[in-house]
Amino acid sequence: MKKALITGITGQDGSYLTELLIEKGYEVHGIVRRISTFNTKRIDYLFHSRHYNKKFFTHYGDLTDPNSINRLVLEIKPDEIYNLAAQSHVKVSFEIPNYTSQVDALGSLYVLEAVRNCCPECKVYQASTSEMFGGIKGEIPKEGYDENIPFHPRSPYGVSKLFGYWITRNYREAYDIFGSNGILFNHESPRRGETFVTRKITKWCGDYLANPWETPPLQLGNLNAYRDWGHAKDFVRAMWMILQAPQADDWVVSTGETYTVKDFVEKCFDWMGKEIHWEGEGINEVGIVDDKKVVSVNPKYFRPTEVDFLLGNSRKIREELGWKPEYSFKNLVEDMMENDSKNRE
């Protein structure tokens, strides 16, 4: 039986990946950071499920503590490690750049060092990100960002992840470690954190369905930011496929379609059977439904340096590994809206 170790197991991707690996017969171990409040909501049901609990184990550890990572890798001796743990909120990374760098950059180094010293045959998946590309207007490749496009990160999060990307490549070349980077574009789900824009929108829509005239307007930042949004279930399947490849490599994972934040809002209102129209421009732009202002722009959500446009070109993983997304943009919105509208109508 294969053993997998997942950092960041309590997150959106970690929970879906755990389900996938157990279905494939793995024994799954996850690292949980010990804090004063429980943060295991996404995986709690696994402890009580007869189907999952016999193959699922958690351990206290912290990606900023190399000793704990070394200890766990030595004890578990996993066949595969999925390094998903991160401070992954881009806007927050500007406010806590030091902590973001410790987790996202040095954390990836600690994982690789633990593998080199304790379990050199272990395969390592490093969660890289489309934020490394930067998405600057005027520099957008016609067919989208692929594995050969130069990086230009525009946040402490993107810069820290770029270190993780390069240190993974370096250990692959220097020590022959099977270390692969998955350069994942935006992926969402009902398990997405509520401070991320997509979940913030669908959660607000659930409140709006319950009390349309008492719900204050939804406040958003850049309505015109383009993102290549997919479903987390599709993307964790790509993670697993990346570690089953014959050789370690770097892979872009994306849907190949891009939509604005405003498009996402409109799809949510379509799902609710409402038509939203827009008035004003820039920070004065508002969304109107039934003569009521439902969306407004708040500059506090702007980033110091904005990523204008992200579109991924995932031809390589589609042709070489046979991956393709099963969820469309419409399916993604429907899944999130159905979840956040339960028991609120």
Side-chain angles (χ1 to χ4, degrees):
M1 180 186 297
K2 279 188 177 182
K3 287 192 284 187
L5 175 62
I6 302 174
T7 74
I9 198 167
T10 60
Q12 166 190 252
D13 292 1
S15 63
Y16 282 123
L17 181 60
T18 298
E19 294 173 359
L20 176 71
L21 293 178
I22 291 176
E23 291 294 337
K24 291 185 176 295
Y26 283 66
E27 177 180 296
V28 177
H29 297 256
I31 298 178
V32 176
R33 194 160 51 96
R34 186 71 172 95
I35 57 177
S36 58
T37 56
F38 290 108
N39 63 340
T40 58
K41 181 173 69 172
R42 295 185 182 93
I43 60 171
D44 280 343
Y45 77 96
L46 296 171
F47 294 109
H48 308 293
S49 167
R50 286 174 148 188
H51 180 65
Y52 292 109
N53 63 11
K54 293 182 180 179
K55 296 181 180 180
F56 175 59
F57 309 90
T58 57
H59 312 264
Y60 286 126
D62 193 317
L63 216 56
T64 63
D65 175 14
N67 290 330
S68 70
I69 303 302
N70 275 323
R71 173 178 55 81
L72 289 171
V73 172
L74 186 60
E75 290 177 1
I76 298 166
K77 293 196 178 304
D79 299 286
E80 298 171 1
I81 294 178
Y82 296 84
N83 183 28
L84 310 184
Q87 192 301 102
S88 57
H89 198 289
V90 178
K91 177 66 166 62
V92 171
S93 76
F94 286 99
E95 299 162 10
I96 50 172
N98 185 51
Y99 176 73
T100 300
S101 299
Q102 289 176 8
V103 177
D104 299 7
L106 291 179
S108 59
L109 172 62
Y110 298 154
V111 169
L112 290 164
E113 269 292 278
V115 169
R116 183 172 78 90
N117 293 321
C118 307
C119 194
E121 299 303 314
C122 177
K123 296 180 178 181
V124 179
Y125 171 87
Q126 168 62 22
S128 295
T129 172
S130 59
E131 289 285 332
M132 300 188 307
F133 289 117
I136 303 172
K137 285 181 179 176
E139 299 182 9
I140 302 163
K142 184 177 180 182
E143 295 185 358
Y145 292 98
D146 63 22
E147 297 83 359
N148 301 310
I149 301 295
F151 299 115
H152 188 155
R154 293 173 60 77
S155 66
Y157 169 70
V159 172
S160 301
K161 280 292 191 176
L162 189 55
F163 177 92
Y165 168 89
W166 279 114
I167 201 66
T168 300
R169 289 192 60 163
N170 179 251
Y171 271 58
R172 185 167 76 212
E173 296 166 3
Y175 304 115
D176 199 29
I177 286 174
F178 193 113
S180 291
N181 288 291
I183 308 171
L184 272 57
F185 280 67
N186 295 65
H187 47 288
E188 319 295 323
S189 76
R191 300 181 190 177
R192 191 56 144 153
E194 295 175 4
T195 60
F196 289 83
V197 66
T198 52
R199 185 71 196 289
K200 180 179 179 181
I201 293 167
T202 59
K203 186 174 183 296
W204 180 91
C205 288
D207 294 336
Y208 177 81
L209 276 173
N211 296 292
W213 297 104
E214 297 178 16
T215 304
L218 171 64
Q219 295 186 3
L220 298 173
N222 184 3
L223 294 173
N224 299 304
Y226 282 83
R227 293 294 182 268
D228 185 328
W229 276 303
H231 199 295
K233 285 185 177 181
D234 285 331
F235 281 54
V236 300
R237 181 164 45 85
M239 294 177 191
W240 176 77
M241 294 174 75
I242 285 169
L243 288 196
Q244 313 317 306
Q247 295 180 331
D249 207 341
D250 308 313
W251 310 84
V252 164
V253 183
S254 66
T255 69
E257 299 179 355
T258 188
Y259 298 89
T260 64
V261 174
K262 189 185 292 186
D263 292 331
F264 195 96
V265 172
E266 290 174 355
K267 280 290 182 187
C268 290
F269 276 94
D270 286 345
W271 186 92
M272 294 189 291
K274 299 283 187 179
E275 183 176 353
I276 184 171
H277 69 274
W278 304 92
E279 297 179 359
E281 296 181 356
I283 62 172
N284 298 313
E285 188 167 15
V286 295
I288 307 292
V289 173
D290 296 331
D291 298 322
K292 181 182 186 299
K293 181 171 73 173
V294 294
V295 179
S296 63
V297 175
N298 190 333
K300 81 174 185 178
Y301 296 117
F302 292 168
R303 303 174 185 177
T305 44
E306 182 59 76
V307 174
D308 305 306
F309 185 101
L310 288 176
L311 172 66
N313 182 340
S314 55
R315 181 182 296 117
K316 178 180 173 180
I317 193 171
R318 294 175 189 243
E319 293 180 354
E320 296 187 21
L321 301 185
W323 176 86
K324 64 179 180 179
E326 296 177 355
Y327 283 80
S328 67
F329 179 66
K330 182 173 180 287
N331 296 151
L332 169 65
V333 173
E334 290 173 346
D335 192 26
M336 295 180 70
M337 283 298 302
E338 286 170 5
N339 175 77
D340 281 325
S341 63
K342 286 178 181 176
N343 303 317
R344 297 194 188 186
E345 295 181 293

